[in-house]
Amino acid sequence: MKKLGVAVIGTGQWGKNHARVYKELPSTELIAVCDVNAERAKAMATQYGVKAYSDSTQMLKDKQIEAVNVCTWSTILAKEAKKALNAGKHVLVEKPMATTPQQAKKLVQTAQENGLYLTVGFLMRFIPGLQLIRQYVETKKIGELVCATAKRVSQWPERIGDVGVVKDTAIHDIDVMRFISKQDPVSVYAKMGSMRIKKFEDYAHIMLTYKNGESAFIESNWLTPYKTRMLTATGSEAIMRLDYITQDLWVEQKSENVQPRLPFQEPLKAELQHFVDCIVDKREPIITGQDGVKALEIATAAMQSSAKNRAIQLK
Ligand SMILES: NC(=O)c1ccc[n+]([C@@H]2O[C@H](COP(=O)([O-])OP(=O)(O)OC[C@H]3O[C@@H](n4cnc5c(N)ncnc54)[C@H](O)[C@@H]3O)[C@@H](O)[C@H]2O)c1
């Protein structure tokens, strides 16, 4: 079977995992890696026996490369994703996909015009427990979904990135809420601030409301000495709780509490395998570019809400 030729742009903390997984998957051939830090690119290329580039324009000329994962700093993602799409490559762009929804929409348009697949790194969707929550919500096994709460807190990251906690961290939960409820919020109200540094917000409380009265609450920060990543979905008949770190899932009903045992899977491996399968089988990835646009619109509205101290209505 022919392997799909792939490459990674941005070989930092997260990009190195993308490269490792591509090296491990039997259906992909890692052709090259690129990083503006030439030494970093070279070190990884040597480790995997692939080509190293410090300029993606050069790398993207390689016809063997059919798909590219963009794992650069958050504010550079859109620029590199656009270059890759214009070079005719399918693209998996990391979250938050772009700096503004307008930039994200442009990526969707470029992918469409070039007949290419574009997906966004909303990793949580590849955790089996979250997939089961969505299934139970959809089939009403937990009754009507009333509300959901997400908590994603940790201490200040070792490296300060180029976006705040909303676009870096809460955006995962913004996407999760869209994923499990299969609808978009009609309004967002948020409070956020910067405690440790002034450049970006490092804590945020975000409240989303839906047209039939359901609500979702997202707490994110970089101020908590321990790391917690939890989701609770409250239905009229049962509550589901997921620990993203351990992948433990609990279903609490009136009659009994159960803990479904789902096989642990490395979400990144499942995510990249899905992306590759979609390209080979010519089908749309479960996370579309439009999902990235929507999440970014909600994140941006949350930031406006906090700045203006009022709820923002979403279209
Ligand atoms: N989906 C997830 O769960 C998840 C997890 C971690 C990080 N991420 C995302 O991955 C991205 C990278 O995060 P990180 O922690 O690896 O950051 P990082 O700072 O460790 O790495 C980013 C790398 O990109 C390189 N780079 C910057 N501009 C470039 C360009 N134009 N061309 C080539 N290389 C370039 C930098 O030199 C650096 O090596 C971020 O957007 C982050 O939001 C997603």
Side-chain angles (χ1 to χ4, degrees):
M1 193 188 73
K2 182 184 164 285
K3 293 184 175 199
L4 189 83
V6 294
V8 175
I9 304 179
T11 57
Q13 292 298 317
W14 192 230
K16 70 182 178 198
N17 288 317
H18 281 247
R20 171 188 49 83
V21 168
Y22 271 150
K23 201 67 195 166
E24 287 169 6
L25 290 180
S27 50
T28 53
E29 183 179 353
L30 184 66
I31 308 281
V33 293
C34 171
D35 200 296
V36 284
N37 181 329
E39 264 175 42
R40 195 173 286 168
K42 193 157 179 275
M44 182 177 287
T46 305
Q47 182 185 355
Y48 291 132
V50 300
K51 291 179 232 163
Y53 292 87
S54 57
D55 176 359
S56 60
T57 308
Q58 293 306 317
M59 184 183 83
L60 291 167
K61 288 180 186 160
D62 188 332
K63 291 204 164 43
Q64 271 187 291
I65 300 169
E66 292 176 71
V68 170
N69 291 19
V70 182
C71 308
T72 61
W73 299 312
S74 293
T75 53
I76 308 290
L77 293 169
K79 185 183 108 194
E80 289 299 329
K82 191 155 175 260
K83 268 163 80 174
L85 288 167
N86 281 327
K89 317 296 182 192
H90 303 287
V91 168
L92 185 158
V93 59
E94 263 309 335
K95 53 81 191 165
M97 185 183 185
T99 305
T100 64
Q102 289 72 21
Q103 269 183 344
K105 280 182 195 161
K106 191 80 194 137
L107 288 184
V108 172
Q109 192 191 337
T110 309
Q112 277 167 356
E113 284 169 1
N114 290 295
L116 296 163
Y117 293 114
L118 170 67
T119 189
V120 186
F122 288 131
L123 191 72
M124 302 303 112
R125 293 204 196 193
F126 294 90
I127 292 179
L130 185 67
Q131 292 165 350
L132 199 69
I133 291 178
R134 176 182 158 120
Q135 192 190 318
Y136 276 29
V137 169
E138 195 172 14
T139 56
K140 299 200 188 296
K141 274 201 173 177
I142 61 165
E144 295 297 332
L145 180 65
V146 179
C147 57
T149 60
K151 190 179 179 90
R152 194 174 292 269
V153 298
S154 60
Q155 56 188 304
W156 185 252
E158 280 164 31
R159 297 160 303 114
I160 297 164
D162 51 354
V163 293
V165 79
V166 173
K167 285 183 183 164
D168 184 90
T169 306
I171 199 152
H172 274 303
D173 300 303
I174 289 172
D175 178 68
V176 162
M177 296 308 178
R178 294 188 66 244
F179 179 60
I180 62 168
S181 69
K182 283 182 113 178
Q183 56 175 329
D184 284 311
V186 292
S187 88
V188 53
Y189 179 69
K191 276 287 178 199
M192 56 193 73
S194 35
M195 186 75 188
R196 293 265 184 93
I197 59 152
K198 296 295 158 216
K199 206 166 158 202
F200 305 114
E201 78 286 350
D202 54 14
Y203 65 91
H205 284 174
I206 303 172
M207 173 101 174
L208 307 172
T209 53
Y210 296 84
K211 77 170 185 299
N212 294 325
E214 310 94 325
S215 60
F217 181 75
I218 297 168
E219 178 189 2
S220 293
N221 75 44
W222 290 327
L223 302 173
T224 309
Y226 50 85
K227 186 169 168 177
T228 300
R229 272 130 173 67
M230 294 288 298
L231 174 72
T232 305
T234 303
S236 53
E237 307 303 322
I239 291 173
M240 294 181 88
R241 275 190 305 124
L242 172 66
D243 183 332
Y244 289 108
I245 299 171
T246 61
Q247 297 194 9
D248 284 332
L249 178 71
W250 296 267
V251 187
E252 293 159 354
Q253 294 154 307
K254 270 181 215 131
S255 51
E256 58 172 357
N257 294 340
V258 291
Q259 202 175 345
R261 293 268 166 229
L262 301 168
F264 189 95
Q265 78 176 11
E266 184 185 354
L268 187 61
K269 208 164 208 172
E271 180 182 75
L272 301 200
Q273 183 69 64
H274 173 70
F275 177 49
V276 169
D277 289 346
C278 286
I279 295 168
V280 172
D281 302 341
K282 297 188 174 34
R283 59 186 161 95
E284 181 110 78
I286 59 164
I287 304 165
T288 62
Q290 194 56 26
D291 287 321
V293 171
K294 285 282 173 193
L296 203 50
E297 279 176 347
I298 298 165
T300 306
M303 294 174 82
Q304 283 169 358
S305 166
S306 182
K308 294 181 174 169
N309 193 25
R310 64 172 173 81
I312 302 285
Q313 303 305 311
L314 297 159
K315 278 175 230 131

